[in-house]
Amino acid sequence: MKYAEIKDLALAEIMEKLELERESLAKLKLNHAISPLENPRILGERRRNVARLLTEVRRRELENKAE
């Protein structure tokens, strides 16, 4: 998920996607602990997606405080 895509979403949609990404990351970590994933780079992608979503939430919080 690209940052430009995230920027266009409403806050409620971002929070929903954040929850889904966190659940997906947790499941992937568990599966990877049991048996190695075919492509472990997926873990990094999910982690970065979570970080991007959190960054956008924080940016919007700070933007609203400044107003």
Side-chain angles (χ1 to χ4, degrees):
M1 175 171 275
K2 301 283 183 177
Y3 182 71
E5 296 172 11
I6 295 170
K7 206 165 67 167
D8 295 335
L9 298 175
L11 185 59
E13 293 173 326
I14 291 174
M15 297 306 284
E16 184 179 318
K17 287 206 179 272
L18 179 60
E19 184 178 332
L20 291 173
E21 286 290 330
R22 282 182 168 166
E23 289 174 7
S24 175
L25 178 61
K27 287 179 185 177
L28 283 172
K29 280 183 178 180
L30 180 62
N31 289 341
H32 187 61
I34 294 171
S35 65
L37 293 174
E38 189 173 313
N39 185 3
R41 296 184 87 170
I42 295 172
L43 290 170
E45 289 175 20
R46 298 281 187 218
R47 195 171 56 243
R48 282 189 293 277
N49 284 340
V50 168
R52 285 184 187 113
L53 291 165
L54 287 172
T55 299
E56 180 62 19
V57 169
R58 181 66 178 150
R59 186 190 67 78
R60 290 183 185 193
E61 284 177 2
L62 292 174
E63 189 177 88
N64 287 338
K65 276 188 177 181
E67 292 176 353

